[in-house]
Amino acid sequence: MTASTTPAAPIERWIRTGLLPLVQLVLWLFLYLSLLLGGWVFLGWSIGGWSPVVITTGSMEPAMSPGDVLLIEKGDGDSVAQRSIIVFDRDGDHVAHRVFEVEADGFVTKGDANSAPDAARVGHDDVIGDGRLLVPLVGMPVVWAQSGQWLAVGAWLVLSVAGLVHLALLGLHLFRHRSEERSRRTEMPVAQQGIRRVRGLVAILILAQYVLDASRFDVLEESTSRIWILFLSMTVLVGTNLVSGRVRSPALQRILPLVELGLDTALVVLLATLTGTSGIGWVLFALPIIEAAVRFRLVG
């Protein structure tokens, strides 16, 4: 019985120590690039209000290649300058070319890989949008599907599913080993745990305010500032909670309470200034008050 299972041991060891780490590395690289590049597209679309356009032909090489995604700001072309990249309508198709020359009644365009400018002029009414951000490779699945390269589409789907499964398994692994995290939290002082929970409550209040009336987060009447204010708030609150629970250095532990109190106070003052006393801004002042009282044993 032992002799029959011995030959399988080197193969199992090779799979565990050689093949499995390589597969995990490929999956992590794929996930990292997908999230990084896809994140730029999402940010441009959600914050800037730009529309994504997938490049499917190579006439703009080397500036743009098939599979790149161009984020455009819709407009009539009034702000377009020479050397800008515009997307315009030509015979029902969307074309992305660079502005070769600006004329009074339109634009002369030219693909970077073309030897001569386009013969047809582009009028202001034909302009769909002005290019703002180019994100490479994100639209490759669209190009593969249009060209019938189903093997590449299938490989992309397999990598995507495998990456999601890998993340799910990693999350399950962390969930199963949360007992160590729980034991670490029990070692945290009760005061620190209370401050972290108050900070989490403030995060929920901010999210509720954003959902109920997001216009209160406008700065200088710019609606695009809402998501930035929300992102800043969540970053400060959640990031501070995460860092405060993982600092082990005695020197940093002495400095960290002052840094936390300063960040929380600055954030609360900012939010209270934006939302005003008619909202929940004044309620948020409870966070630095409670935090200062707990940390420095103030009696009131």
Side-chain angles (χ1 to χ4, degrees):
M1 191 71 177
T2 304
S4 61
T5 57
T6 301
I11 298 177
E12 181 181 355
R13 190 183 310 112
W14 176 78
I15 292 176
R16 186 173 60 254
T17 61
L19 182 60
L20 188 58
L22 179 61
V23 172
Q24 291 177 341
L25 177 61
V26 171
L27 290 178
W28 277 114
L29 287 175
F30 175 78
L31 289 172
Y32 173 76
L33 291 175
S34 299
L35 293 175
L36 178 65
L37 298 176
W40 280 109
V41 176
F42 176 76
L43 288 176
W45 169 75
S46 61
I47 298 177
W50 302 334
S51 301
V53 175
V54 179
I55 306 301
T56 56
T57 60
S59 64
M60 277 292 290
E61 292 181 347
M64 293 188 297
S65 302
D68 295 347
V69 172
L70 178 65
L71 293 166
I72 63 173
E73 183 177 10
K74 294 184 178 180
D76 54 5
D78 289 339
S79 61
V80 175
Q82 192 170 350
R83 304 297 297 170
S84 298
I85 295 177
I86 60 173
V87 176
F88 55 91
D89 181 81
R90 176 166 289 172
D91 300 329
D93 294 329
H94 291 176
V95 181
H97 273 186
R98 194 179 299 277
V99 175
F100 186 73
E101 185 178 352
V102 179
E103 297 181 342
D105 56 347
F107 310 98
V108 178
T109 57
K110 175 182 176 296
D112 289 352
N114 297 340
S115 58
D118 302 334
R121 299 296 188 264
V122 179
H124 289 274
D125 296 336
D126 298 326
V127 176
I128 299 174
D130 187 8
R132 297 302 185 197
L133 179 65
L134 183 68
V135 183
L137 303 176
V138 181
M140 286 305 299
V142 177
V143 177
W144 291 333
Q146 288 186 352
S147 59
Q149 301 180 28
W150 300 112
L151 182 61
V153 175
W156 176 78
L157 289 175
V158 168
L159 280 175
S160 300
V161 173
L164 294 176
V165 170
H166 181 63
L167 284 180
L169 292 176
L170 180 61
L172 182 62
H173 173 76
L174 295 176
F175 179 76
R176 287 178 176 177
H177 292 79
R178 69 186 186 276
S179 58
E180 180 181 353
E181 178 70 13
R182 285 182 175 178
S183 63
R184 183 188 61 80
R185 288 182 178 178
T186 56
E187 298 173 358
M188 187 184 304
V190 176
Q192 180 68 15
Q193 294 184 33
I195 292 173
R196 286 162 56 90
R197 289 169 182 170
V198 172
R199 195 178 286 120
L201 176 61
V202 170
I204 295 175
L205 291 174
I206 294 172
L207 285 173
Q209 180 74 11
Y210 184 84
V211 172
L212 294 175
D213 189 2
S215 63
R216 292 186 180 274
F217 293 86
D218 292 348
V219 178
L220 300 178
E221 300 182 355
E222 295 182 4
S223 60
T224 56
S225 63
R226 301 173 184 176
I227 190 67
W228 286 112
I229 295 297
L230 182 65
F231 175 77
L232 175 65
S233 305
M234 295 300 105
T235 300
V236 171
L237 294 171
V238 177
T240 305
N241 265 1
L242 292 176
V243 172
S244 65
R246 286 166 173 77
V247 172
R248 293 292 179 268
S249 172
L252 291 179
Q253 287 180 348
R254 288 192 295 268
I255 300 175
L256 187 61
L258 296 175
V259 175
E260 290 185 37
L261 181 59
L263 287 175
D264 290 338
T265 304
L267 177 63
V268 168
V269 170
L270 171 65
L271 293 174
T273 303
L274 293 177
T275 59
T277 56
S278 60
I280 62 167
W282 64 272
V283 179
L284 302 182
F285 276 109
L287 173 60
I289 294 173
I290 293 175
E291 186 174 349
V294 171
R295 291 192 186 280
F296 305 110
R297 307 297 192 272
L298 301 180
V299 178

